């Protein structure tokens, strides 16, 4: 009985220590990647502002070709909602809404994940002219993990995990737009 008591107390101490550490771990994370595309800024922005075009370049949209997609509103404008439903655990269920558009420069999204976990995060795509025929595209993602789930940020490197997918998407976007 004494050994069981020590094991239980040891486990409780580990849990208490983890909860204390979580108090000091940041809750927010941000990931951003960029690429230069050899196309004029207007051409690039006029392609990326349409959320349906993400089917062509977003890693997440291409993971499950069988996912069910629904749309409401006018694509490329504030309030457009793109919803997805997938049995693939890497895709899950959620929706993306255009929250802000600065024409020719920036589009902001709110991402609402429902399955495999509930979360609301933000994403954006920014275009910046480098020259008449070159555009820098920045794709970013930021979110928040509530206490004590923020402890996962010690274990999971969000920049590495999400950054790879953002960069893959940007690399694909570059190929698509430079073929035009």
């Amino acid at each position: 009985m004494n050994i069981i008591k020590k094991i239980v107390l040891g486990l409780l101490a580990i849990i208490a220590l983890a909860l204390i550490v979580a108090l000091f771990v940041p809750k927010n994370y941000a990931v951003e990647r960029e690429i230069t595309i050899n196309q004029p800024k207007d051409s690039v922005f006029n392609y990326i502002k349409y959320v349906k075009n993400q089917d062509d370049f977003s890693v997440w949209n291409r993971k499950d070709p069988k996912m069910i997609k629904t749309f409401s509103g006018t694509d490329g404008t504030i309030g457009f909602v793109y919803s997805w439903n997938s049995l693939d655990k890497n895709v899950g269920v959620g929706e993306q809404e255009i929250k802000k558009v600065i024409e020719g420069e920036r589009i902001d999204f709110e991402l609402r994940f429902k399955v495999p976990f509930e979360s609301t995060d933000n994403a954006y795509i920014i275009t910046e002219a480098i020259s008449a025929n070159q555009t820098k595209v920045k794709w970013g993602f930021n979110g928040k993990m509530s206490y004590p789930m923020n402890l996962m940020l010690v274990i999971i490197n969000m920049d590495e995990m999400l950054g790879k997918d953002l960069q893959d998407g940007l690399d694909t976007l570059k190929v698509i737009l430079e073929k035009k």
Side-chain angles (χ1 to χ4, degrees):
M1 190 67 139
N2 199 15
I3 190 124
I4 293 174
K5 186 176 181 180
K6 286 181 182 180
I7 290 172
V8 169
L9 287 175
L11 288 174
L12 288 174
I14 291 170
I15 291 169
L17 179 62
L19 292 173
I20 291 170
V21 169
L23 289 170
F24 300 99
V25 173
K27 293 179 178 75
N28 299 317
Y29 58 90
V31 180
E32 182 181 89
R33 294 295 184 270
E34 65 181 53
I35 199 162
T36 299
I37 297 175
N38 296 315
Q39 286 290 331
K41 181 176 146 186
D42 288 344
S43 296
V44 173
F45 188 81
N46 287 331
Y47 182 82
I48 62 156
K49 80 174 186 178
Y50 296 105
V51 176
K52 290 178 184 178
N53 286 339
Q54 289 181 12
D55 283 347
D56 299 330
F57 66 90
S58 170
V59 171
W60 301 290
N61 291 38
R62 294 179 297 153
K63 281 187 179 184
D64 180 9
K66 295 178 183 176
M67 79 173 135
I68 298 167
K69 303 170 193 172
T70 57
F71 310 97
S72 66
T74 303
D75 198 358
T77 65
I78 294 170
F80 177 77
V81 177
Y82 163 60
S83 300
W84 69 90
N85 188 333
S86 172
L87 297 177
D88 184 326
K89 66 180 180 172
N90 296 312
V91 180
V93 177
E95 59 188 17
Q96 174 176 251
E97 180 179 353
I98 296 176
K99 297 302 268 184
K100 182 178 179 182
V101 177
I102 301 174
E103 195 60 42
E105 296 189 21
R106 180 182 177 114
I107 186 163
D108 289 276
F109 311 96
E110 182 176 83
L111 298 161
R112 297 180 288 263
F113 301 99
K114 298 173 184 175
V115 173
F117 56 88
E118 286 197 33
S119 174
T120 300
D121 297 319
N122 299 294
Y124 59 87
I125 302 177
I126 299 171
T127 56
E128 178 185 322
I130 295 174
S131 69
N133 290 313
Q134 279 194 317
T135 305
K136 181 186 294 183
V137 178
K138 294 180 183 178
W139 193 1
F141 190 95
N142 55 65
K144 181 177 184 177
M145 293 184 104
S146 300
Y147 174 85
M149 294 306 294
N150 64 316
L151 192 58
M152 296 298 292
L153 292 174
V154 172
I155 301 165
I156 299 172
N157 183 337
M158 295 301 278
D159 187 72
E160 186 178 299
M161 186 174 82
L162 291 175
K164 179 186 177 307
D165 289 342
L166 290 175
Q167 192 62 55
D168 286 350
L170 288 172
D171 292 343
T172 303
L173 178 65
K174 178 179 176 75
V175 170
I176 290 168
L177 292 179
E178 288 184 358
K179 283 183 178 178
K180 289 187 176 221

